[in-house]
Amino acid sequence: MSKPDKVMNEIMSLAKRRGFVFQSSEIYGGINAIWDMGPLGVEMKNNIKRYWWYHMVQLRPDIEGLDAAILMHPRVWEASGHISEFTDPLVECRNCHRRFRADEIKNGKCPVCGSDDLTEPRMFNLMFKTFIGPVESEENTIYLRPETAQGIYVNFLNVLNTTRQKIPFGIAQIGKAFRNEISPGNFIFRSREFEQMEMQYFVHPDEADKWFEYWRQQRWNWYLSLGIDEGKLHWHEHGPDELAHYARAAYDIEFDFPFGRKELEGIHNRGDFDLSRHQQYSGKSLEYTDKVTGEKYIPFIIETSGGVDRAMLAILCDAYTVEPERNDPNRTRTVLKMHPRISPIKVGVFPLVKKDGMPEMAREIAQELRKKFTVFYDEKDSIGRRYRRQDEAGTPFCVTVDGQSLQDETVTIRERDTMVQVRVKITEIAPMIEKYIDSWERDKGIE
Ligand code: ATP
């Protein structure tokens, strides 16, 4: 097994063993490329979504949130091009995952990377279909959305008319998307059901280039603020042969996963394609009128489109560390050194021993801390093993109640990465943790 495969296997096995990710319907043998988030996974994923929402909506007077339905009017997908784009006989390159119409393949080779590892051509539409109402007929066909963006475009007027926003402004949304991927894989990297966090920023056409650069920088900084190693992040500019038919410019933020350098998020200048098409297909004017100049125009859209599951996998891969034990170099400790705000459990609370009133006191402290943080109470095994279990789950702090605690109402707090322990008053635990989490967030220029 190659080293990257070994690392990936270890991360997958940790994710399963500790309850981050389970295969969907596992007791029935599982279902390919669909995953369930376990108790730690759901906390971690929620933390990523909250962190994104905080930076992309809460801190921004110029961005509104939205939660559109997964099922949409079928005409949406005609306007977006999804129906016409994906009903050709398709061949996918297993190496670079690009999909081509069968007639684009020359000499059995992928036109982009040259690989000859290609799937058989098949009539394929990426969208999952279902029916609305009791009759399973052509006209009752609807689709599970393959991206969240269309819900934003069709609500452009609603948001404009119900808020005081003026161009430039954005609409942000987090939600499920579904793609019947031809070749899914690499754990949760490419699944058939996943979550996206997307923001569409509506701008004057003359300002599109400026805002495109601005959002490229913001999104890069967001990943840095998560503590991801900058050396593992890269830009990939789409060349003319890669650009989607609607896009004027596109960059991907890529991450060095153990299985290769792959896309985390796309930042696209979509021009006026989306609103023009929805205007044409719906017959509703989607023009914007500048109240000051009186100018009417279809706004250009700068899109930032990231995957929650991919961000989660990147954070897990970046955080995964196996290092020699300090006092026994022949042994190793496994620790997820992730941003404490993303960690599923913030504090482990332990009685040093299971007697003398320590469990009672520790349980009381745990319950008080639960009002602010996710807490795990543990009294089984040696204290060293309990620390290791929390290291492996990425828990940034462990609070231990010992003999002295019973005398003077102090506890020890151990920090995950440095393993440094300090003694503090019980009342100081929560403020200390909050301060630490804030200070961890380096200022990376996110506005
Ligand atoms: P890829 O080339 O990897 O298939 P894409 O270019 O089709 O991705 P977009 O349509 O730009 O992806 O989607 C935006 C984001 O949604 C991606 O950057 C990724 O984070 C996420 N995403 C897309 N497809 C999947 C998938 N099948 N599983 C998990 N996340 C996905």
Side-chain angles (χ1 to χ4, degrees):
M1 195 185 290
S2 72
K3 190 155 178 272
D5 288 346
K6 184 171 168 284
V7 171
M8 205 50 220
N9 278 350
E10 285 171 10
I11 293 170
M12 282 161 64
S13 122
L14 186 151
K16 159 121 206 253
R17 180 161 37 85
R18 296 310 309 272
F20 282 91
V21 181
F22 305 129
Q23 199 174 13
S24 164
S25 321
E26 196 183 311
I27 60 168
Y28 287 96
I31 170 163
N32 193 12
I34 308 204
W35 303 94
D36 296 342
M37 293 292 145
L40 294 192
V42 63
E43 294 292 345
M44 181 174 175
K45 222 172 136 177
N46 282 343
N47 290 340
I48 295 170
K49 291 191 272 185
R50 225 175 271 132
Y51 192 74
W52 186 88
W53 197 264
Y54 175 72
H55 286 289
M56 296 297 283
V57 182
Q58 188 177 332
L59 287 184
R60 303 221 39 136
D62 57 342
I63 299 185
E64 303 288 342
L66 181 76
D67 184 14
I70 286 171
L71 301 176
M72 302 182 74
H73 195 290
R75 292 275 285 164
V76 167
W77 307 112
E78 286 174 37
S80 69
H82 281 86
I83 289 178
S84 57
E85 281 293 301
F86 296 109
T87 46
D88 290 329
L90 278 190
V91 171
E92 178 161 328
C93 170
R94 289 199 184 90
N95 182 46
C96 70
H97 295 295
R98 299 254 153 52
R99 302 177 197 100
F100 307 95
R101 287 197 316 275
D103 60 7
E104 288 176 296
I105 305 284
K106 304 277 181 267
N107 307 323
K109 294 213 184 304
C110 168
V112 170
C113 74
S115 164
D116 55 9
D117 190 4
L118 306 171
T119 60
E120 286 299 310
R122 52 188 282 207
M123 288 304 283
F124 192 78
N125 191 299
L126 194 75
M127 289 193 290
F128 284 96
K129 272 186 195 177
T130 186
F131 301 97
I132 191 157
V135 183
E136 297 192 3
S137 63
E138 183 73 14
E139 62 271 22
N140 288 341
T141 302
I142 53 167
Y143 302 91
L144 301 192
R145 67 181 176 200
E147 60 179 33
T148 58
Q150 300 300 325
I152 294 181
Y153 307 141
V154 302
N155 276 295
F156 168 67
L157 280 187
N158 284 337
V159 174
L160 190 64
N161 293 336
T162 51
T163 62
R164 295 213 187 274
Q165 294 295 349
K166 293 195 287 284
I167 274 178
F169 77 97
I171 305 177
Q173 162 160 250
I174 298 177
K176 289 267 188 178
F178 304 81
R179 294 183 190 180
N180 201 358
E181 297 278 3
I182 303 181
S183 43
N186 286 326
F187 195 33
I188 57 172
F189 177 81
R190 188 183 304 281
S191 8
R192 296 199 162 108
E193 173 176 340
F194 54 97
E195 259 181 300
Q196 291 185 312
M197 26 194 195
E198 296 196 299
M199 194 281 299
Q200 312 291 326
Y201 206 70
F202 301 89
V203 302
H204 188 284
D206 292 348
E207 297 206 314
D209 293 343
K210 179 184 98 183
W211 285 112
F212 182 61
E213 285 311 314
Y214 171 84
W215 281 111
R216 279 209 315 132
Q217 204 52 54
Q218 289 295 303
R219 295 308 301 149
W220 181 266
N221 293 349
W222 187 79
Y223 286 101
L224 288 189
S225 80
L226 277 168
I228 292 183
D229 176 0
E230 192 165 11
K232 292 186 196 151
L233 292 173
H234 307 275
W235 283 113
H236 168 74
E237 182 181 6
H238 287 215
D241 52 340
E242 281 176 277
L243 274 181
H245 58 283
Y246 51 77
R248 291 171 179 243
Y251 277 84
D252 295 337
I253 297 177
E254 296 183 328
F255 175 78
D256 289 326
F257 289 96
F259 45 85
R261 186 173 293 179
K262 306 269 181 204
E263 172 179 341
L264 270 185
E265 168 156 346
I267 295 104
H268 309 131
N269 176 352
R270 301 178 64 108
D272 65 0
F273 175 79
D274 307 285
L275 293 183
S276 300
R277 292 279 286 200
H278 285 302
Q279 173 166 286
Q280 183 191 341
Y281 278 70
S282 68
K284 278 243 176 222
S285 168
L286 296 179
E287 263 185 352
Y288 176 83
T289 307
D290 188 310
K291 296 257 165 42
V292 179
T293 63
E295 186 188 1
K296 281 180 185 295
Y297 59 91
I298 301 267
F300 273 29
I301 291 175
I302 308 302
E303 164 182 76
T304 73
S305 174
V308 184
D309 312 80
R310 282 195 193 174
M312 177 174 173
L313 186 58
I315 294 168
L316 283 174
C317 292
D318 188 53
Y320 181 76
T321 311
V322 180
E323 59 187 25
E325 286 277 5
R326 250 175 234 168
N327 42 14
D328 182 358
N330 294 322
R331 296 174 54 171
T332 54
R333 84 162 177 147
T334 301
V335 48
L336 289 181
K337 295 186 174 177
M338 67 172 79
H339 189 318
R341 213 178 279 291
I342 304 301
S343 296
I345 303 167
K346 298 285 182 278
V347 204
V349 180
F350 319 136
L352 183 63
V353 288
K354 228 161 83 181
K355 57 180 188 190
D356 301 335
M358 289 181 214
E360 290 76 8
M361 189 175 192
R363 266 194 226 107
E364 215 175 285
I365 292 171
Q367 194 53 28
E368 195 52 34
L369 289 174
R370 281 194 183 100
K371 295 176 187 164
K372 289 184 184 252
F373 310 108
T374 43
V375 173
F376 186 78
Y377 173 81
D378 194 3
E379 56 182 30
K380 290 203 189 72
D381 296 328
S382 72
I383 192 76
R385 289 186 69 158
R386 282 180 267 166
Y387 286 148
R388 292 295 172 271
R389 267 182 72 74
Q390 292 310 312
D391 287 344
E392 215 186 41
T395 306
F397 296 103
C398 291
V399 167
T400 303
V401 170
D402 56 16
Q404 193 179 329
S405 310
L406 306 168
Q407 312 297 323
D408 64 4
E409 302 257 303
T410 62
V411 292
T412 61
I413 301 194
R414 169 190 180 270
E415 195 270 328
R416 177 193 66 201
D417 299 347
T418 58
M419 294 190 284
V420 167
Q421 295 192 25
V422 291
R423 186 167 278 281
V424 298
K425 284 254 172 232
I426 290 170
T427 48
E428 283 166 19
I429 304 172
M432 191 178 149
I433 292 175
E434 272 163 354
K435 211 165 137 201
Y436 175 87
I437 296 177
D438 285 343
S439 73
W440 216 86
E441 224 146 274
R442 282 164 267 160
D443 176 14
K444 292 291 179 189
I446 311 176
E447 284 171 10

